[in-house]
Amino acid sequence: MELRPFAVAADAATVASWPASADEVALWCGLREFPVPARVVAGWQLGEDVRGHVLVQGERLLAYGEVWCDEEEDEAELARIIVAPDARGRGVGRSLVRGLAGLALRVGYTEIFMRVHPGNAAALRCYRGAGFVPVDPALAAEWNAPQPVSYVWLRHAGA
């Protein structure tokens, strides 16, 4: 498996096709629109602080995720992690998350975080298996104050 930068034209439609329901879309990226249009996934790449990547095996896309870079705070957040339906349950998500965290560390971010919908038990298991631990409850409460959901906030244990 290899981690490579997201290719907007080639990858957007494939990644957009992976969620199987509106509930899965909400857990993945917080949107209410189902199916997710490819143009929405492509548009995420326009953010100056967003670095989209895909995990591939040969030419086959297995997983997608983003590193959101906050240079002012000297931290990164991993976001919008999703694995192709036929690749789930095989450690692909854990490999993707480890790869994205490694990228963030190599470019010098000292803190790496993730927020996870509290109803996404499979993602929580994956991220903990990739080296993330819950942040202090007081910090999570502070970060959740402006959020639409009380997310589970995780910090990379190696950061």
Side-chain angles (χ1 to χ4, degrees):
M1 289 186 284
E2 175 188 0
L3 189 64
R4 71 160 168 78
F6 182 81
V8 175
D11 299 340
T14 300
V15 172
S17 75
W18 290 343
S21 68
D23 288 341
E24 190 175 340
V25 169
L27 291 177
W28 170 40
C29 62
L31 296 178
R32 298 284 176 229
E33 187 174 6
F34 176 77
V36 175
R39 66 175 165 65
V40 170
V41 177
W44 292 336
Q45 312 313 306
L46 300 176
E48 190 174 298
D49 59 343
V50 174
R51 313 280 188 279
H53 286 79
V54 289
L55 191 65
V56 297
Q57 191 163 43
E59 295 299 313
R60 183 169 171 248
L61 269 64
L62 300 175
Y64 169 83
E66 298 169 355
V67 178
W68 294 355
C69 305
D70 186 337
E71 292 182 22
E72 187 175 301
E73 295 290 331
D74 193 26
E75 65 187 35
E77 182 176 344
L78 306 188
R80 298 185 185 127
I81 307 295
I82 190 167
V83 175
D86 63 346
R88 294 175 186 168
R90 300 190 342 228
V92 171
R94 189 170 32 252
S95 293
L96 173 68
V97 170
R98 285 180 177 152
L100 293 173
L103 286 173
L105 288 168
R106 280 192 296 282
V107 298
Y109 289 101
T110 60
E111 298 282 350
I112 305 168
F113 298 98
M114 300 183 79
R115 68 181 113 171
V116 187
H117 193 285
N120 199 341
L124 285 166
R125 281 191 305 276
C126 172
Y127 306 152
R128 287 182 180 192
F132 282 78
V133 296
V135 301
D136 178 84
L139 185 58
E142 177 186 330
W143 288 350
N144 276 326
Q147 301 295 333
V149 173
S150 287
Y151 292 106
V152 176
W153 288 89
L154 304 172
R155 178 184 181 274
H156 191 263

